[in-house]
Amino acid sequence: QVHLVDSGGGSVQAGGSLRLSCAVFGYTYNSYEMAWFRQAPGKEREGVATIDTNGRAAYADSVKGRFTISQDNVKNTLYLLQMNSLKPEDTAMYYCAARPAGWEEYNYWGQGTQVTVSS
């Protein structure tokens, strides 16, 4: 059973940086596509970044150039979201998610980690 544990959230001032981590347990290495989503109070959940099994990344327009999704080079079951130049509008609960390669739906989710950016 695949299990995700995300962490690394916190409170920062605008312009600051945070790095979120997603530890993946119980999966076959490199067989899952990973993503980060976020949901702010009163808003719908939105996709932030994805990375496929070939390491190709894609980003929402709102975070392009500021966020980077990656797989840890040492711990290949650890996925990272480096967030730079944070803005107050980035404030949300962030979730990592996984789906088997080629599937449409993300069916495994972390518990969420809160990011708060103050102006």
Side-chain angles (χ1 to χ4, degrees):
Q1 180 73 12
V2 176
H3 180 58
L4 309 181
V5 178
D6 39 34
S7 61
S11 297
V12 296
Q13 290 191 326
S17 298
L18 284 172
R19 189 176 74 171
L20 306 184
S21 299
C22 178
V24 185
F25 302 94
Y27 88 136
T28 302
Y29 169 64
N30 215 31
S31 62
Y32 283 77
E33 298 175 344
M34 305 297 297
W36 286 94
F37 290 79
R38 67 185 181 187
Q39 187 166 21
K43 294 187 177 181
E44 293 187 356
R45 185 176 64 198
E46 64 169 335
V48 174
T50 62
I51 186 167
D52 67 15
T53 56
N54 294 310
R56 290 182 297 235
Y59 301 92
D61 288 342
S62 58
V63 306
K64 277 181 183 176
R66 301 188 297 122
F67 290 13
T68 303
I69 188 172
S70 65
Q71 184 178 23
D72 189 86
N73 289 331
V74 176
K75 296 181 180 179
N76 54 39
T77 57
L78 188 68
Y79 291 83
L80 308 172
L81 183 69
Q82 179 67 43
M83 306 186 296
N84 298 327
S85 302
L86 283 162
K87 305 175 181 179
E89 51 263 44
D90 294 318
T91 295
M93 185 72 79
Y94 284 70
Y95 301 88
C96 66
R99 65 184 179 189
W103 284 37
E104 185 173 339
E105 297 292 329
Y106 287 91
N107 50 347
Y108 299 103
W109 293 83
Q111 81 284 3
T113 184
Q114 177 69 38
V115 171
T116 303
V117 185
S118 58
S119 57

